[in-house]
């Protein structure tokens, strides 16, 4: 068994969740925040048999999009002068997925 931790753009999270359910995959969804943009995203925990990992990845890939977002402009103050740099454009996603082995799974 594998545990997939999938970090999904909040604009795609609803669609990804519906598609996972439709495909028969169970998941737990958590609100999360990216460290760089400090914007909300959604983290899915998905436990699946080894042979189903690629199917889950396909569902995520087909329902999440890559998009441009902007990091807040840093403002520097030095010698009474304010320097404002232009916002940094970053390409976010589609999705970031970690696949980890599960030593044991119990349902009680
Ligand atoms: P954030 O940390 O808010 O990052 C948003 C996007 O900003 C990233 O998109 C990347 O394009 C850019 N970025 C991140 N750190 C950067 C840096 N130090 N310098 C320049 N640009 C930077 P993605 O790579 O698609 O990541 C989307 C979200 O997935 C991230 O949101 C974070 O929540 C998560 N993530 C990405 N890589 C991760 C990792 N190695 N470990 C844990 N979480 C990760």
């Amino acid at each position: 068994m594998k545990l997939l931790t999938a970090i999904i753009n909040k604009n795609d999270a609803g669609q990804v969740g519906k598609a996972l359910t439709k495909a028969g995959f169970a998941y737990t969804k958590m609100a999360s925040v990216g460290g760089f943009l400090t914007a909300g995203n959604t983290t899915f925990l998905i436990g699946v048999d080894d042979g189903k990992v690629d199917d889950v990845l396909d569902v995520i890939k087909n329902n999440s999009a890559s998009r441009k977002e902007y990091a807040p402009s840093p403002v520097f103050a030095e010698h009474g002068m304010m320097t404002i740099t232009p916002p940094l454009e970053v390409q976010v996603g589609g999705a970031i997925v970690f696949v980890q082995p599960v030593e044991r799974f119990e349902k009680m």
Side-chain angles (χ1 to χ4, degrees):
M1 188 181 206
K2 295 281 192 285
L3 177 66
L4 279 67
T5 303
I7 302 161
I8 310 287
N9 189 294
K10 65 177 183 304
N11 297 305
D12 295 329
Q15 175 102 349
V16 168
K18 279 184 201 153
L20 285 170
T21 300
K22 194 171 168 200
F25 296 115
Y27 62 86
T28 295
K29 201 164 85 156
M30 300 179 294
S32 46
V33 177
F36 190 67
L37 293 180
T38 64
N41 48 35
T42 303
T43 299
F44 287 76
L45 299 180
I46 310 154
V48 282
D49 290 335
D50 289 23
K52 293 282 182 188
V53 169
D54 287 337
D55 296 340
V56 173
L57 292 177
D58 283 344
V59 170
I60 294 172
K61 205 179 294 170
N62 293 334
N63 290 280
S64 55
S66 175
R67 43 174 71 78
K68 282 180 187 157
E69 292 188 15
Y70 294 90
S73 317
V75 179
F76 302 101
E78 208 177 23
H79 311 301
M81 296 273 288
M82 297 265 279
T83 308
I84 302 172
T85 58
L88 178 68
E89 188 180 278
V90 290
Q91 197 74 27
V92 182
I96 299 290
V97 184
F98 300 90
V99 180
Q100 295 166 289
V102 174
E103 196 169 309
R104 187 166 157 172
F105 171 78
E106 297 280 354
K107 196 168 174 177
M108 292 169 221

